[in-house]
Amino acid sequence: MVARVSTVAFQGIEGVPVDVQVMIGPGKINMHIVGLPDKAVAESRERVQAALHASGLAMPPKKVTINLAPADLPKEGSHFDLPIALGLMAALGAIPADALTDYVVLGELNLDGTLAPVAGALPAAIGANALGKGIICPADSGPEAAWAGSGLDIIAPRSLIALANHFRGTQVISRPQPAIRAAPGDLPDLADIKGQESAKRALEVAAAGGHNLLMVGPPGSGKSMLAARLPSILPPLGPAELLEVSMIHSIAGQLSGGKLSDRRPYRAPHHSATMAALVGGGLRAKPGEASLAHHGVLFLDEFPEFSPQVLDALRQPLESGECVIARANHRVSYPAVIQLVAAMNPCRCGMAGEPGHTCARGPRCAADYQARISGPLMDRIDIRIDVPAVSAMDLIRPAPAERSADIAKRVAAARERQRERFEGAGMGTTVTNARCSTALIEKIADPDPGGLQLLRDAAEKLKFSARGYHRVLKVARTLADLDGKDRVSRIHLAEAISYRMAGERLAPATA
Ligand SMILES: Nc1ncnc2c1ncn2[C@@H]1O[C@H](COP(=O)(O)OP(=O)(O)O)[C@@H](O)[C@H]1O
Ligand SMILES: [Mg+2]
C-alpha cells in the first residue's frame, strides 16, 4: 500500500505542491528517499527513524521507499521530515490513512520526536488555503500560518505523539492565533539632527516618492544618522504589501515567533556582504538583503566599500523589482521592490572638497574612490546630495528642528495622492512615482511651459541619459505631490535637476 501526504517545495516565495509517497514492501531492510532531494532532505531519513523510535514506533524490517513527486522538481530544506514521518505512520497504521488527505504538511523533526519550526509556514499556509486544504505544522510555526486566513484549519502540535493523540481523539490541539509584533519603542527622530536642513528635505522627498538616494559628505556629518531616521517618516505597509513582505521573511526564516509587523523593512547590510547575502542564493536558495528590504529601504553605508561586483548585481533588482538567481537546473526569483539609500565619504581620507582641508593624494583620491561606483548604478540614483559637515553654529545653538511625526504626515499625504492617481490608471495600490513606467510618467509629469524650457536646457547642458531624464521627471512629480499641485512646474523641475547635478559632479553617468 502507498500512503500519500501533501507538502510543498519552495520556488521563490511560492509553494509548489509536492506529493510524498511512502511504500513499505518486501525486500532488503532499507529506507530510500528519491525525487531530487538535497542534502537536508536526504538526511531526514535519520531524523525520521530516530523520531519514530522515540515516539514508540518500531520501523518494520522491510524495504521502505519514499518518493517525492514530481520527481524532476528539486527539493530543498528540512521541512520534509514531518510529511515523511506521517506518511510512514499512515503506512504502518499508527494514524488513520484518510486523516491526512485534507492537509498540507510541513515540519522538521528533532531526534526525540518533537517538532522544530521551519521557514516558509506562511506561504505554505496561503497555498493550502487556496487549495481548500488545512495545514499541519510545528507549534512554533503555527502563529505564522494563522495569518493565512481565519477559516484555515491548522493543527500545530509540539510532537509526533501529540499529533497521533489528536487524531485518535485523546488530546485536542487548539488552533494557534495570529500574533502582531508590538511596535518596538519609538524610532529615532529627525528632530535629533541639528542643522542639515537640505539633507532633511531630500530625505522627505525620497520618502514621499520612494526615490533612491545617495548622501555624500565628510565623516561625522550625520549621514548614517539621517538614514537611520528614514523609517520614522515612511508610511506603514498596506495590507497587500504586509503579506508579501511577510512571505519573504517567512521563507528566509526571519519572522521571529511568527509575528508580523506593518513597519516598512529597513535593512542595512555591512559592506563586507557577499553577492549571495545581498541578492540571494547560496547553498540553499534564500532571499538576500535586497529581497528582505522588499517594499522598504536597503541602506548601504560606506557605499564604495562594497565590492564592485556586488554593487552591480543590484542594478537588475533596482530596475525590475526582483532578484533572479540561477540555480544548477532552474531559476528562482524573489520580489525586491526597494528604495536604495546609500552614504559615502567623498574620498578615502574623507575630506575631499571640504573647506580648509587638502587631500594628501590630491584630486586622484576622490576620483579613484568615486569610480568604484559604476556609471550605470549611479544613473539609477534619483537624488544625490552633499551633506557638508554640520556648522559649529548649528551644533551649539541649533534652530528648532521639526519632528519626524510632522514630516511623516506630509509624506503620507504625498503618497496618498500617488495612490489615487495610480489606482485611477489601473496600476494597483503599491506604485510610487519612483516605480512608475516611463510612458506614464511622461503623461502625469507633463511640465508647464516654463518647466519644459528649463528641462530642455538642463538635459542639453548636463547630457542626461534617457533614464536620467525620466528620473528627473519622477522626482519633479513627487515634489509637486508634496506641494499638493496637479501640474509640475518650473520650481519642481529646478529642485529635481539640482538633485541630479550633485551627482553629475561625482561620476559621469553613462547608461
Ligand atoms: N547634524 C548633527 N546633529 C547632531 N549630531 C550630529 C550631527 N551630525 C553628526 N552628529 C554626531 O556625530 C556622530 C556621527 O554621525 P554619523 O551619522 O555616524 O556620521 P557619518 O555617517 O556622516 O560619518 C553622531 O552619532 C552624532 O553624535
Ligand atoms: Mg557613517
Side-chain angles (χ1 to χ4, degrees):
M1 188 199 101
V2 176
R4 291 167 175 261
V5 183
S6 304
T7 184
V8 288
F10 295 108
Q11 280 209 319
I13 58 166
E14 250 171 80
V16 183
V18 167
D19 198 25
V20 178
Q21 303 161 359
V22 179
M23 194 180 78
I24 302 179
K28 197 166 144 233
I29 303 175
N30 209 335
M31 181 166 157
H32 276 296
I33 301 178
V34 296
L36 291 190
D38 81 340
K39 188 96 173 110
V41 182
E43 283 178 348
S44 94
R45 198 173 78 157
E46 310 301 328
R47 288 190 296 272
V48 167
Q49 283 177 339
L52 287 181
H53 179 75
S55 310
L57 266 176
M59 288 291 291
K62 291 191 173 162
K63 178 176 169 170
V64 178
T65 309
I66 293 155
N67 180 34
L68 309 175
D72 58 350
L73 178 76
K75 322 290 186 309
E76 289 182 342
S78 56
H79 66 270
F80 293 97
D81 291 4
L82 186 59
I84 291 175
L86 292 190
L88 267 165
M89 286 165 79
L92 292 170
I95 50 174
D98 59 354
L100 300 171
T101 45
D102 289 335
Y103 293 96
V104 168
V105 183
L106 79 167
E108 180 182 321
L109 283 171
N110 292 317
L111 297 185
D112 61 359
T114 55
L115 300 183
V118 286
L122 180 61
I126 289 172
N129 206 10
L131 293 173
K133 291 189 175 190
I135 186 166
I136 300 178
C137 65
D140 290 339
S141 300
E144 191 180 316
W147 280 99
S150 53
L152 180 73
D153 184 4
I154 307 174
I155 308 178
R158 298 225 157 264
S159 66
L160 276 182
I161 296 181
L163 185 61
N165 288 343
H166 175 86
F167 283 132
R168 245 182 254 128
T170 55
Q171 181 182 352
V172 178
I173 299 170
S174 57
R175 188 182 190 278
Q177 292 304 315
I180 279 264
R181 176 147 40 107
D186 285 339
L187 290 168
D189 199 291
L190 270 171
D192 306 340
I193 295 179
K194 299 171 180 157
Q196 303 296 24
E197 293 309 326
S198 55
K200 286 185 201 169
R201 162 76 177 169
L203 210 59
E204 177 179 338
V205 177
H211 300 287
N212 300 332
L213 169 74
L214 172 65
M215 294 181 277
V216 186
S221 60
K223 304 181 295 294
S224 306
M225 225 179 149
L226 279 159
R229 281 153 183 77
L230 181 55
S232 68
I233 59 171
L234 286 171
L237 291 167
E241 292 174 319
L242 173 70
L243 207 58
E244 250 178 69
V245 168
S246 305
M247 292 215 316
I248 300 172
H249 286 243
S250 169
I251 291 278
Q254 296 218 356
L255 274 186
S256 55
K259 293 178 184 166
L260 271 55
S261 158
D262 67 354
R263 187 155 286 170
R264 271 178 206 277
Y266 177 84
R267 309 289 302 190
H270 187 252
H271 57 71
S272 61
T274 60
M275 184 103 80
L278 210 59
V279 299
L283 197 58
R284 267 187 62 194
K286 247 178 50 177
E289 291 290 338
S291 293
L292 291 169
H294 184 51
H295 289 318
V297 176
L298 180 68
F299 175 48
L300 302 184
D301 207 353
E302 312 297 349
F303 201 32
E305 302 289 345
F306 282 81
S307 107
Q309 288 84 8
V310 170
L311 286 185
D312 277 338
L314 277 179
R315 274 153 56 182
Q316 187 242 349
L318 281 178
E319 208 71 7
S320 65
E322 60 175 4
C323 291
V324 180
I325 307 156
R327 309 290 294 168
N329 48 3
H330 64 298
R331 285 151 52 94
V332 184
S333 86
Y334 295 106
V337 172
I338 50 171
Q339 181 180 4
L340 176 69
V341 177
M344 63 186 275
N345 299 332
C347 70
R348 184 165 291 284
C349 54
M351 303 309 264
E354 276 301 289
H357 287 276
T358 41
C359 201
R361 291 181 57 224
R364 269 201 49 206
C365 184
D368 285 356
Y369 198 58
Q370 288 163 13
R372 291 175 63 96
I373 314 292
S374 74
L377 181 59
M378 194 62 97
D379 204 28
R380 285 163 170 81
I381 298 180
D382 314 348
I383 302 182
R384 309 151 188 180
I385 50 163
D386 290 321
V387 184
V390 54
S391 69
M393 207 41 211
D394 276 338
L395 278 178
I396 297 163
R397 201 167 293 148
E402 211 176 0
R403 304 207 62 83
S404 285
D406 299 326
I407 304 173
K409 279 190 200 128
R410 293 198 295 268
V411 169
R415 287 250 177 155
E416 182 58 24
R417 288 180 71 88
Q418 294 168 59
R419 196 187 58 76
E420 276 170 15
R421 178 172 339 111
F422 291 122
E423 236 174 13
M427 303 213 22
T429 54
T430 57
V431 182
T432 52
N433 287 333
R435 299 213 64 82
C436 161
S437 71
T438 50
L440 190 60
I441 197 69
E442 285 186 356
K443 216 162 77 192
I444 61 176
D446 183 27
D448 63 12
L452 202 60
Q453 185 58 42
L454 182 69
L455 184 59
R456 206 175 290 141
D457 293 347
E460 214 155 87
K461 214 176 291 162
L462 297 169
K463 306 245 174 316
F464 285 160
S465 68
R467 185 188 290 116
Y469 171 81
H470 286 121
R471 296 217 163 210
V472 165
L473 278 182
K474 288 175 182 181
V475 176
R477 182 62 258 176
T478 301
L479 290 165
D481 283 335
L482 274 171
D483 236 2
K485 298 272 161 54
D486 288 332
R487 191 90 194 260
V488 171
S489 62
R490 194 179 165 87
I491 52 164
H492 306 131
L493 276 159
E495 189 174 344
I497 292 166
S498 77
Y499 290 141
R500 191 96 197 155
M501 266 163 57
E504 301 299 317
R505 264 189 287 122
L506 275 174
T510 48

